[in-house]
Amino acid sequence: MLIVRNLRAGYGRIEALHGVSLSVRQGEIVAIVGANGAGKSTLLKTIAGLIVPWHGEVLFQDRPLAGRKPPEIVAAGIGLVPEGRWLFPPMSVLDNVRLGAYLRLRRGDKEAVREDLDRVFELFPILAERRKQPAGSLSGGEQQMLAIARALMSRPKLLLLDEPSTGLAPLLVEKIFETLVQLNGEGITFLVVEQNARAALAVATRGYVLETGRMVLQGRAQELLEDQEVKRAYLGKDYREFAEGRAR
Amino acid sequence: MSSRARLYSTGIFALGIVAVGLGVSNPYEQQLLTIIGIHTLLALGLNMLMGYAGQISLGHAAFFGLGAYGTGIFTTHFQWSPWASLPVVLVTSCLVGYAIGRPILRLSGYYLAMGTLGLGIIAHVIFREWDTFTGGASGLVGIPPLVVGRLVLGLGRTGFFAVWATVVLFFVLCGRLVDSRIGRALRALGDSPGAAAASGIHTAHLKAVIFSFSAVMAALAGYLYAHLLGFISPSSFDFLMSIRMVTMVVIGGMASIWGSLLGASVITLLPEWLHVFSDYEMMAYGLILMVVMIFLPQGLTRGVLDAFQRARTLRGAASS
Ligand SMILES: Nc1ncnc2c1ncn2[C@@H]1O[C@H](COP(=O)(O)OP(=O)(O)OP(=O)(O)O)[C@@H](O)[C@H]1O
Ligand SMILES: [Mg+2]
């Protein structure tokens, strides 16, 4: 469904992605884990067209999308839930959600959009209760739900999520990932970027490890969860256990 | 605002205009009110750009001048009828607005302020120096008035109604725009350009479109100004005018349609009222602006509404 080949991108003259490749198949949940500054957000933003790549290919359903503008990429079926949620704080919850359907409303899909609004509010009842409230007045967890709800309104086939667990209590993290699995069951493919590797890999089918702009590891999520390197670096196993593993 | 509330308020507003138009017969006051109407058009257009889309322009007098000089040149040098020059002026300002807006709005913040400032300066220099057509520093005289049937529109009651009918029209238009999908996109753009882009909004295009829209409104204001006065000179379209426009928006209230009316009224009337301070007029003017901004940073409209709200809650608390 999505193929990224040898992608290079950065800011100004500093390269943040040094030739990244990955693939996502229809129906998968793919996780990318990596430390701060590894380039996870840069990668998602580049796929979403917010950053213009310097080199490399992005193919989505066999369509080349590298260097395309965000509206075209959204229209092609890729949604982004950006890091830090990027909401429109003074605007109401309802208006925030509606903005996700901007392109569809321009095409005049009014009826379908109204149905999707109902569905999204059904998925997140707490948002329905607060539909008139300014988005900025929501709690962190509610804001994350709102960001996901907004992205869903574009009817994405592939949804890119940038650290959905940031700043949320473990219980909420679980809830968000449960929702993700539910939506996956309804046919949406996911590419999730996380520092919380355990939570992400637990629901993912496959995973990648990104380190300073390079993919260093990939495999089935289960394998990665058991990988010693990954355990040491991303799953917060203490060093002694790791050392013992080595000694054996 | 709900569409019904907007309909009512517009109706009351229109009635108020009719009442004032018929009630006021002093020519000086009629003239002043007409100028306020023209300034309201300017402020409203700029508010769409600044208040909603969050993009500043310190050079919008350029488009005010484009409308005024455009129609002035067509009607005096080429003997066009004013009605023939109207569509040409509007279309031209629309295209010029987009063509300038697209590249200049790639800038943001201070850089956008500098860029638009430059635009205003260049336009002013053209108005002043292109003698053959613009009449140079001494201005352009003999611009014919607008004629409707046998009615000649001048600065008195007729001009008043022409200008304020236009204002009402644009109040309705902008009100609908603000409540629409595009209005949401504009506010999104002002709040967070990155998130707007991520939602599929073509930000560069939308910014240029709204810049162009505000340019058309400024040009229309300029068109009316030129035909009602019959005389224009470059000093009406200089840097200070651009600043005045920004001040109207900020004082009245960003992202507020009624705020544009209030801002335009205050900024137009203040100098008249402050004549009593003679030599200290400009100082008093500056002082008032400072005080308003310090105590009502959201502008007069928000400030007054908030005060009203507070008074009501206080009274509610006292009576219970
Ligand atoms: N706007 C920017 N301007 C310049 N450099 C940037 C910018 N954003 C990110 N970088 C740099 O690019 C590199 C990758 O950043 P990125 O935000 O993609 O990391 P990340 O993996 O998402 O990190 P985190 O987990 O902290 O979100 C970092 O070295 C960072 O300093
Ligand atoms: Mg990041």
Side-chain angles (χ1 to χ4, degrees):
Chain A
M1 183 178 219
L2 177 77
I3 297 170
V4 174
R5 269 197 215 115
N6 205 12
L7 201 63
R8 292 172 181 274
Y11 305 89
R13 294 170 58 190
I14 302 165
E15 193 177 84
L17 300 177
H18 316 293
V20 170
S21 302
L22 71 103
S23 69
V24 179
R25 285 191 287 272
Q26 175 101 37
E28 280 193 307
I29 298 180
V30 173
I32 300 178
V33 300
N36 287 115
K40 305 182 297 292
S41 301
T42 309
L43 176 58
L44 290 196
K45 282 193 216 162
T46 311
I47 296 174
L50 296 172
I51 295 175
V52 179
W54 300 351
H55 179 84
E57 272 186 297
V58 176
L59 291 175
F60 181 65
Q61 300 186 314
D62 301 325
R63 243 177 89 186
L65 286 183
R68 297 290 167 173
K69 293 257 161 28
E72 199 177 328
I73 292 176
V74 172
I78 300 183
L80 171 67
V81 179
E83 182 172 31
R85 289 131 205 178
W86 272 9
L87 298 171
F88 308 110
M91 296 170 69
S92 72
V93 167
L94 183 61
D95 278 352
N96 268 270
V97 178
R98 273 192 190 144
L99 268 163
Y102 178 78
L103 287 173
R104 294 174 59 204
L105 286 171
R106 192 169 74 178
R107 287 198 306 265
D109 280 356
K110 267 197 174 157
E111 264 320 299
V113 167
R114 194 161 313 141
E115 279 165 29
D116 284 5
L117 260 180
D118 292 341
R119 277 205 19 216
V120 160
F121 280 135
E122 213 172 286
L123 190 64
F124 301 112
I126 188 84
L127 295 182
E129 272 171 45
R130 315 197 164 201
R131 62 208 295 162
K132 293 257 158 73
Q133 230 167 286
S137 71
L138 298 182
S139 76
E142 291 160 357
Q143 292 195 5
Q144 186 61 55
M145 292 177 205
L146 179 52
I148 295 174
R150 183 182 63 195
L152 286 175
M153 288 304 291
S154 68
R155 284 223 175 147
K157 296 174 195 137
L158 170 68
L159 195 52
L160 315 173
L161 272 94
D162 197 345
E163 308 220 17
S165 76
T166 311
L168 303 188
L171 213 62
L172 262 174
V173 175
E174 210 169 290
K175 165 109 188 14
I176 295 276
F177 278 99
E178 265 169 29
T179 313
L180 229 151
V181 172
Q182 184 191 340
L183 290 168
N184 182 243
E186 290 171 18
I188 300 179
T189 307
F190 284 93
L191 179 59
V192 188
V193 150
E194 263 298 347
Q195 280 194 58
N196 187 341
R198 196 187 300 279
L201 288 173
V203 299
T205 33
R206 286 188 307 119
Y208 290 85
V209 177
L210 186 66
E211 236 169 53
T212 54
R214 285 192 180 80
M215 289 296 190
V216 294
L217 211 57
Q218 58 168 305
R220 290 196 303 112
Q222 199 55 40
E223 285 166 17
L224 289 182
L225 271 171
E226 283 158 12
D227 187 277
Q228 294 299 336
E229 274 298 323
V230 176
K231 270 190 188 169
R232 180 186 60 82
Y234 304 108
L235 299 177
K237 285 277 175 177
D238 73 46
Y239 180 71
R240 200 151 51 91
E241 198 181 330
F242 170 65
E244 279 167 11
R246 269 286 157 86
R248 247 183 266 139
Chain B
M1 213 187 274
S2 74
S3 51
R4 172 173 303 196
R6 209 181 276 294
L7 194 69
Y8 282 145
S9 55
T10 310
I12 293 171
F13 180 42
L15 283 178
I17 287 170
V18 172
V20 171
L22 296 177
V24 174
S25 50
N26 173 332
Y28 163 76
E29 284 169 5
Q30 283 173 340
Q31 218 175 87
L32 202 57
L33 287 167
T34 306
I35 297 295
I36 290 177
I38 288 174
H39 286 172
T40 303
L41 284 175
L42 291 173
L44 186 56
L46 190 57
N47 210 338
M48 289 289 132
L49 181 72
M50 280 180 54
Y52 290 95
Q55 313 294 318
I56 193 166
S57 170
L58 294 182
H60 249 51
F63 297 107
F64 186 36
L66 182 69
Y69 274 101
T71 197
I73 291 169
F74 288 140
T75 51
T76 58
H77 289 281
F78 301 98
Q79 277 77 48
W80 286 24
S81 127
W83 295 117
S85 87
L86 178 60
V88 177
V89 162
L90 295 186
V91 170
T92 308
S93 55
C94 174
L95 297 179
V96 172
Y98 190 90
I100 292 175
R102 194 66 195 251
I104 214 170
L105 289 160
R106 293 167 72 156
L107 306 173
S108 62
Y110 299 127
Y111 304 99
L112 178 60
M114 294 310 289
T116 49
L117 180 66
L119 166 69
I121 290 172
I122 291 170
H124 181 239
V125 168
I126 294 175
F127 299 147
R128 207 185 50 213
E129 303 299 334
W130 199 23
D131 300 37
T132 3
F133 283 109
T134 64
S138 51
L140 197 57
V141 291
I143 301 171
L146 287 162
V147 182
V148 186
R150 285 174 39 224
L151 202 63
V152 178
L153 305 186
L155 259 184
R157 187 164 284 153
T158 48
F160 171 92
F161 278 115
V163 165
W164 284 95
T166 315
V167 171
V168 172
L169 180 74
F170 275 91
F171 264 53
V172 173
L173 209 70
C174 292
R176 296 193 60 129
L177 186 72
V178 165
D179 282 341
S180 73
R181 177 181 59 87
I182 302 199
R184 275 200 300 277
L186 286 177
R187 276 177 288 156
L189 192 62
D191 277 358
S192 165
S199 306
I201 295 167
H202 196 324
T203 51
H205 173 67
L206 186 63
K207 281 192 220 172
V209 165
I210 199 64
F211 190 82
S212 167
F213 179 80
S214 72
V216 169
M217 282 190 67
L220 179 61
Y223 172 91
L224 290 169
Y225 180 82
H227 288 296
L228 290 177
L229 255 72
F231 159 80
I232 49 178
S233 74
S235 62
S236 309
F237 312 100
D238 59 359
F239 170 64
L240 265 176
M241 186 62 212
S242 291
I243 297 297
R244 279 253 275 308
M245 289 166 68
V246 172
T247 318
M248 290 175 205
V249 172
V250 176
I251 288 280
M254 299 266 253
S256 162
I257 289 182
W258 295 101
S260 307
L261 171 67
L262 196 59
S265 309
V266 170
I267 296 302
T268 315
L269 291 174
L270 215 48
E272 305 291 325
W273 293 337
L274 293 178
H275 277 326
V276 289
F277 291 102
S278 60
D279 285 352
Y280 300 101
E281 181 189 329
M282 283 321 278
M283 254 174 90
Y285 183 75
L287 201 66
I288 291 174
L289 295 189
M290 275 171 64
V291 169
V292 170
M293 281 295 83
I294 290 170
F295 292 102
L296 304 172
Q298 311 254 45
L300 284 173
T301 318
R302 252 290 46 97
V304 170
L305 285 177
D306 284 352
F308 183 68
Q309 192 73 34
R310 263 199 305 275
R312 255 204 346 205
T313 30
L314 274 183
R315 192 166 337 126
S319 65
S320 68

